[in-house]
Amino acid sequence: MTRIPTVHRIALLFNGNKIFDRDIIAGIGEYLSSTRASWDLFLEEDFRCRLQGIERWQGHGIIADFDDPAACEALSRVSLPVVAVGGSYADDGDYPQDTPYVATDNFKLVKLAYDHLIEAGLQRFACFSLPQAAVNRWAQEREKAFEHLMWRDGMQGEIYRGVGTSAPSWDTTVEQQIAWLRTLPKPIGIIAVSDARARQLLQACLCAGIAVPEQVALIGIDNDPLARILTRVPLSSVIQGTREMGRTAAHLLHQMLHGARLLGTRILVPPAGINVLASSRHEALNHPHVMQAMHFIRQYACQGIKTEQVADYVGVSRSSLEWYFRRELGRSVHDEILRFKLDVAKDMLQNKEHEQRSVAEIAVSCGFTSVQYMHAVFKRELGCTPREYQDRQLQNEAAQQSLN
């Protein structure tokens, strides 16, 4: 007689509104799909509504976000196997005792962003963080990583926390961010502790007419597709290894459900890479007209702007602007507009959130006058069609995943 596998009731205490938590959950799902584990999953959009009385829940195990102190406190009363997920800490004493812990490596996240800005030729740096609070411990750990890197390299980096935002304070918050940005030496590279914070600062730069990335090169952490959609200048971001964290946490709990004792186990997961987009592609530009033009192009290239509109924005003749571009960059204004649109199209083709969109839709989104013109540009610049480029990227990604 075939033995029916045991089905375990597992609670996932995460906030489904956050990209970090959603990717952890996705990693847990990937682990279950690749093994014989049979779990019934219990989760809400926001785990905090499940904390009260969690110690009385009749389940078999829990995977929880321990960046929230309320989760740590509530689960201290639970006798079920628990695996914690959260950020890493510089001080070992800040980790939960006797609970297996899977962490995103905060130091490596910040270092990867910092190294990228250095490679872009920047020599001044700042960090845009969050107000100090128990629920923002992960942000304070990223501050510490930034401070350590500044100390290591003998630099004076600025940290700005600003305030928590709400609708009544939006205008005041933006004004405060602009005031801080104007005090900074330029050019400067700024690491934001999350994409949400990076998006806020990017909007402040655009409101103040501060050129991104010529004057402020900006990079976030999370690689949140929503943040990219909601910004006029595409946002660079460090990609956390969140799916790997989810798979690892599920593997640990699976072992615990079968008798393994993993008290005090601690696993730090490094970042998965970096998505370099326009906000941090700093080029040392000397002429202010070129800097202004690049600022305009990055905001409006995908809306089909022409060289004449860029020249009107800068306030010079088309021929003068072309001369400045040729001297400074070695290419025309039209070439720069086209290069930017091509970069956006490449990013859309290789990102899974756009895989259901047709090539024609992507061509329109990127400001190409027709899908045939985008085809011609891809063939000329990359030696392949847009669909061939997309297929090549998917094959490379699949090969990389098989190696991991």
Side-chain angles (χ1 to χ4, degrees):
M1 184 175 177
T2 304
R3 184 172 177 270
I4 299 174
T6 301
V7 177
H8 292 101
R9 293 157 55 86
I10 307 300
L12 305 182
L13 303 186
F14 293 92
N15 185 346
N17 296 316
K18 293 163 55 182
I19 182 66
F20 177 86
D21 292 42
R22 289 198 303 273
D23 279 350
I24 296 289
I25 294 169
I28 293 169
E30 289 172 2
Y31 176 81
L32 296 178
S33 298
S34 65
T35 66
R36 296 181 180 179
S38 297
W39 291 3
D40 277 343
L41 300 177
F42 295 78
L43 67 159
E44 303 285 347
E45 289 183 357
D46 188 341
F47 74 86
R48 284 166 291 193
C49 64
R50 290 189 56 88
L51 287 178
Q52 188 172 2
I54 189 67
E55 68 275 7
R56 298 190 297 275
W57 181 61
Q58 299 299 305
H60 298 99
I62 297 172
I63 304 176
D65 179 0
F66 265 49
D67 276 338
D68 192 321
C72 303
E73 197 278 327
L75 293 176
S76 66
R77 303 186 295 271
V78 169
S79 59
L80 301 174
V82 173
V83 175
V85 175
S88 64
Y89 294 96
D91 185 345
D92 284 349
D94 289 332
Y95 287 97
Q97 300 301 309
D98 301 329
T99 302
Y101 193 94
V102 181
T104 184
D105 193 324
N106 282 319
F107 181 82
K108 288 185 178 178
L109 291 174
V110 175
K111 185 176 185 300
L112 188 58
Y114 175 59
D115 289 346
H116 166 65
L117 294 175
I118 287 176
E119 289 167 6
L122 291 151
Q123 299 178 19
R124 304 181 186 93
F125 306 94
C127 175
F128 183 40
S129 188
L130 281 163
Q132 286 189 315
V135 293
N136 294 336
R137 295 180 301 170
W138 57 272
Q140 270 80 72
E141 289 299 317
R142 291 175 189 177
E143 284 182 30
K144 291 178 186 177
F146 177 77
E147 287 177 325
H148 176 82
L149 291 166
M150 294 296 100
W151 171 83
R152 184 197 71 180
D153 293 347
M155 296 187 190
Q156 290 291 116
E158 275 209 47
I159 294 176
Y160 179 70
R161 298 191 180 103
V163 296
T165 56
S166 61
S169 67
W170 278 343
D171 291 340
T172 303
T173 299
V174 172
E175 290 169 4
Q176 291 174 348
Q177 291 171 4
I178 290 173
W180 175 65
L181 286 164
R182 285 178 171 155
T183 67
L184 298 174
K186 311 291 189 307
I188 191 167
I190 301 180
I191 301 168
V193 294
S194 70
D195 280 354
R197 285 309 249 185
R199 187 182 68 81
Q200 290 177 22
L201 204 60
L202 181 52
Q203 287 179 320
C205 287
L206 298 180
C207 287
I210 298 171
V212 176
E214 288 78 21
Q215 292 178 294
V216 170
L218 182 61
I219 183 168
I221 296 172
D222 278 332
N223 198 37
D224 186 350
L226 191 60
R228 291 199 298 275
I229 292 169
L230 298 178
T231 53
R232 295 207 301 270
V233 176
L235 181 64
S236 295
S237 185
V238 177
I239 307 167
Q240 299 198 64
T242 39
R243 294 203 173 208
E244 178 63 24
M245 291 171 67
R247 291 190 291 267
T248 301
H251 177 64
L252 293 179
L253 184 59
H254 194 184
Q255 290 180 299
M256 294 170 73
L257 293 172
H258 291 84
R261 293 180 59 80
L262 302 175
L263 300 181
T265 297
R266 189 182 305 154
I267 299 173
L268 268 63
V269 178
I274 187 169
N275 188 12
V276 179
L277 297 176
S279 72
S280 66
R281 284 184 176 145
H282 175 76
E283 293 181 75
L285 302 177
N286 295 319
H287 202 286
H289 291 338
V290 176
M291 191 179 297
Q292 284 179 281
M294 295 290 283
H295 179 60
F296 185 75
I297 289 169
R298 286 198 170 89
Q299 293 183 72
Y300 301 108
C302 292
Q303 295 183 24
I305 58 170
K306 307 295 185 186
T307 301
E308 291 83 356
Q309 291 168 279
V310 182
D312 286 345
Y313 173 80
V314 176
V316 298
S317 68
R318 172 175 175 164
S319 59
S320 294
L321 187 62
E322 290 285 10
W323 185 83
Y324 292 133
F325 260 67
R326 293 286 185 186
R327 187 185 68 174
E328 191 90 4
L329 301 176
R331 54 184 177 268
S332 70
V333 178
H334 173 75
D335 289 341
E336 182 59 33
I337 295 171
L338 196 60
R339 188 177 78 142
F340 184 86
K341 293 195 290 190
L342 181 63
D343 284 345
V344 174
K346 286 160 56 181
D347 181 62
M348 292 181 73
L349 286 166
Q350 65 189 8
N351 275 299
K352 289 184 178 179
E353 61 261 27
H354 298 295
E355 62 186 352
Q356 299 303 319
R357 302 182 70 176
S358 68
V359 172
E361 289 174 320
I362 290 174
V364 171
S365 297
C366 297
F368 288 98
T369 52
S370 68
V371 67
Q372 291 82 7
Y373 182 41
M374 189 170 85
H375 270 264
V377 172
F378 265 76
K379 289 289 286 185
R380 185 181 72 231
E381 300 296 327
L382 303 173
C384 62
T385 67
R387 190 60 71 193
E388 288 169 347
Y389 176 83
Q390 186 177 47
D391 291 342
R392 186 187 303 166
Q393 298 305 309
L394 291 173
Q395 289 169 5
N396 291 341
E397 184 179 336
Q400 188 63 38
Q401 287 178 348
S402 66
L403 290 175
N404 295 336

